Amino acid sequence: AYVAEPTGTSKGGVVVVQEIFGVNSHIREVADGYAAAGYLAVAPATFHRVKPGVELGYTEADMKAGFELKTAVEALPAPGVLQDLQAAIDYAGKAGKVGIVGYCWGGLLTWRAACELDGLAAAAPYYGGGMTSPEESARKPRVPVMAHFGNKDHWIPLDTIEAFEKAHPEVEVHVYACGH
């Protein structure tokens, strides 16, 4: 995991869940931003169980490699990567209340964490690929969730976002005029 420590007294902890590109410079910058705002930020390497040290860019080849790694992680026997997210939550908990935020596949993992893991105070998935599927939508969050989507996202159709929102009136859903 990449850990970014705040200077001074911590306001709490934030788990930052990567996209399919690993804990790359972008995810480290996001974690650093939370640390600069006073939070202990932990970005777990969610590919580590299938391939350590993954740090991809955003090319077509990187996207293909990341998707293959995501598929391999999703195929792990339960609890799979959720145990790594739980470890990150537990570590961040030394700073106080813990929130979790994730992007794309990390948004899906953030949703799952909000529904299954302990020690969270809130969750914010961004364009969580797959979280609006009927299987994922059947989950029930255990903490407050604020979900973010784009109405022009070619990976997450608007009708599935609307169905998710209808199934989860307790979730604060924001839909923006944008793509993925």
Side-chain angles (χ1 to χ4, degrees), residues 4-31:
E5 304 250 355
T7 56
T9 305
S10 180
K11 297 177 182 178
V14 178
V15 174
V16 179
V17 189
Q18 67 176 60
E19 307 152 307
I20 62 167
F21 306 107
V23 180
N24 61 14
S25 62
H26 170 67
I27 293 300
R28 291 192 303 272
E29 286 175 17
V30 171

Side-chain angles (χ1 to χ4, degrees), residues 110-117 120-125 131 136-147 164 167-173:
T110 295
W111 171 247
R112 289 177 181 165
C115 297
E116 296 186 27
L117 301 182
L120 288 172
M131 73 178 266
E136 293 296 333
S137 192
R139 297 179 189 269
K140 300 292 180 209
R142 296 165 47 183
V143 297
V145 175
M146 181 181 357
F164 177 87
H168 290 285
E170 77 284 10
V171 173
E172 187 177 332
V173 175

Side-chain angles (χ1 to χ4, degrees), residues 72-174:
V73 171
E74 292 283 335
L76 292 171
V81 74
L82 287 180
Q83 61 193 318
D84 302 325
L85 294 179
Q86 185 65 65
I89 293 164
D90 295 345
Y91 185 86
K94 72 181 189 176
K97 287 186 178 182
V98 178
I100 187 168
V101 60
Y103 308 91
C104 190
W105 177 52
L108 170 61
L109 294 176
T110 295
W111 171 247
R112 289 177 181 165
C115 297
E116 296 186 27
L117 301 182
D118 297 321
L120 288 172
Y126 283 81
Y127 49 96
M131 73 178 266
T132 62
S133 71
E135 177 182 287
E136 293 296 333
S137 192
R139 297 179 189 269
K140 300 292 180 209
R142 296 165 47 183
V143 297
V145 175
M146 181 181 357
H148 304 272
F149 300 99
N151 66 357
K152 297 175 182 128
D153 189 333
H154 64 280
W155 298 105
I156 308 171
L158 184 57
D159 63 326
T160 67
I161 297 167
E162 292 167 345
F164 177 87
E165 189 172 17
K166 185 176 180 183
H168 290 285
E170 77 284 10
V171 173
E172 187 177 332
V173 175
H174 295 271

